[in-house]
Amino acid sequence: MGRLLSRSERSFVMLDAEEGPGAAWRHAWDSLRLFSPAFWSSIPGIIFPGGRDYYPTREEVIDYFRTYENRYSLPVERPVMVEAVRHADEPGWLRVESDRGDLLARHVVSATGSWRHPIIPDYPGRDRFGGVQIHSASYRSPDPFRGLRVLIVGGGNSGAQIQAELSLVADTTWATRREPRFLPDDVDGRDLFDRATERYQARREGRDPDRSVERLLGDIVMLPPVKAARDRGDLGSVRMFERFTCDGVVWPDGREEPVDAVIWCTGFRPALEHLAPLGVIEPDGRILTDGTRSVREPRLWLVGYGEWTGYASATLIGVGRTAKETVAGLEEALEAGSE
């Protein structure tokens, strides 16, 4: 968004709560890798270095964002935590309240993603459990769990990658609601993007999307560490336990098992609490949009939250199209004097 807006004569500023470039990647675990090769993981404007067969690391993603900001001299102010966006007293303006003061804006683009809203299910007995509990958002490395009995919960890519890493140093159990589904070894994020595009086009044209496409979008990408865990027999999973005890869990057969730590790999919700004063958040926690523009507050735009803000818009390869459409909409709204 910033690169595209910098081409215009519009006055804009980017507010970022982090200490430096990288967004949520600054908090990802140390060994995390993209599940698309570098060539298919670029934001428009700079090709991600590494080629067609290399999966970038967390640090390389952060460096890529830093290079991007510097290349286009983006007007990023940080660290600035936006606390609320409200209707301003001045007609036609929104007030952005932050820990560094307030700003007035004709339009606001929210691109806060979901990292600050991790989901931990309210599982029976969870509050009684005396061991360590963290979400994958807070996991950094296997070192604190070395030699412990660790329960990893969640059947997605994060669960698979953390299981693959921790199984080398800890006594791990991978618990999932259903048997995890693994993509073929030669399928990765570039294929998933193509299939997400196919699904989006089908919906736009009024066709029923291919159900097999939707199924594949939830499958686990076989990155090299995950393949290695499979090959050594460390990628097996069991179905979910029934409840927690003070020092462990109870399985469906009644067996109790002690556990030292639980890592919840159970996803995220959109981080939208700063927009609550506008009265735009629906009961499902999302915001009703026409494209990326809020229906209830037309001065608000949302980029990068998932399918409801543009197909594959929460991915590096997909967000560029959404950003381009949003900037075009902003320009049209500003030229028309839209309130």
Side-chain angles (χ1 to χ4, degrees):
M1 286 293 301
R3 180 183 71 93
L4 293 169
L5 287 171
S6 67
R7 296 176 174 179
S8 71
E9 296 181 356
R10 305 296 182 186
S11 172
F12 74 100
V13 66
M14 303 169 67
L15 306 181
D16 182 13
E18 299 299 331
E19 296 287 338
W25 283 86
R26 297 174 62 85
H27 304 278
W29 61 89
D30 297 344
S31 66
L32 181 62
R33 289 179 176 267
L34 284 174
F35 56 74
S36 298
F39 186 80
W40 280 273
S41 300
S42 302
I43 304 172
I46 300 179
I47 296 295
F48 206 125
R52 298 172 180 267
D53 298 310
Y54 179 70
Y55 296 86
T57 66
R58 166 185 173 270
E59 289 300 324
E60 288 167 334
V61 175
I62 294 173
D63 287 343
Y64 175 73
F65 283 129
R66 182 179 296 109
T67 299
Y68 200 97
E69 282 189 21
N70 293 337
R71 170 79 61 87
Y72 295 104
S73 301
L74 299 181
V76 184
E77 296 187 8
R78 59 166 64 95
V80 180
M81 173 63 76
V82 172
E83 297 164 342
V85 180
R86 305 179 187 275
H87 298 110
D89 294 335
E90 300 82 348
W93 293 83
L94 295 175
R95 180 177 300 277
V96 180
E97 300 175 355
S98 80
D99 59 358
R100 295 260 299 271
D102 296 355
L103 292 172
L104 290 178
R106 286 288 187 185
H107 291 260
V108 170
V109 178
S110 185
T112 51
S114 60
W115 177 81
R116 292 182 183 275
H117 265 191
I119 299 171
I120 296 181
D122 188 17
Y123 221 72
R126 186 171 69 86
D127 293 341
R128 296 178 54 212
F129 178 61
V132 173
Q133 290 188 70
I134 66 168
H135 191 274
S136 60
S138 301
Y139 174 79
R140 294 305 298 267
S141 81
D143 293 340
F145 304 95
R146 192 174 297 272
L148 300 183
R149 298 163 298 190
V150 182
L151 182 61
I152 299 162
V153 181
N157 280 285
S158 59
Q161 289 190 44
I162 292 175
Q163 163 65 16
E165 177 171 83
L166 273 182
S167 62
L168 292 169
V169 301
D171 179 7
T172 60
T173 300
W174 186 21
T176 63
R177 290 194 176 278
R178 58 173 176 79
E179 186 72 23
R181 298 190 304 246
F182 301 97
L183 289 168
D185 286 7
D186 60 345
V187 175
D188 54 34
R190 58 189 146 176
D191 301 278
L192 299 183
F193 175 74
D194 290 341
R195 294 174 193 208
T197 301
E198 178 184 334
R199 180 175 64 169
Y200 173 80
Q201 294 292 353
R203 287 176 172 170
R204 288 193 64 177
E205 296 167 7
R207 297 182 285 111
D208 289 333
D210 184 345
R211 305 306 295 183
S212 65
V213 170
E214 296 197 17
R215 183 187 67 79
L216 286 172
L217 292 175
D219 289 357
I220 294 168
V221 178
M222 297 304 292
L223 293 173
V226 179
K227 293 178 187 176
R230 176 196 62 194
D231 293 344
R232 65 175 184 263
D234 283 337
L235 208 56
S237 68
V238 298
R239 302 297 71 77
M240 287 295 293
F241 53 95
E242 288 193 341
R243 58 183 173 85
F244 282 99
T245 64
C246 292
D247 61 357
V249 296
V250 178
W251 297 99
D253 61 4
R255 177 174 51 91
E256 295 189 18
E257 182 176 357
V259 173
D260 298 310
V262 178
I263 301 176
W264 296 96
C265 303
T266 42
F268 300 82
R269 293 188 181 93
L272 301 173
E273 62 276 8
H274 57 295
L275 303 177
L278 295 175
V280 294
I281 301 177
E282 303 294 327
D284 64 358
R286 297 181 179 183
I287 293 175
L288 185 63
T289 59
D290 179 8
T292 62
R293 193 176 193 179
S294 167
V295 171
R296 301 187 187 279
E297 174 45 79
R299 291 167 291 186
L300 173 67
W301 308 73
L302 297 106
V303 172
Y305 292 94
E307 294 291 304
W308 58 285
T309 56
Y311 67 100
S313 68
T315 67
L316 291 176
I317 192 174
V319 72
R321 296 180 186 180
T322 304
K324 185 176 181 180
E325 293 171 359
T326 302
V327 170
L330 270 168
E331 289 287 355
E332 182 178 349
L334 288 165
E335 290 173 5
S338 171
E339 299 299 329

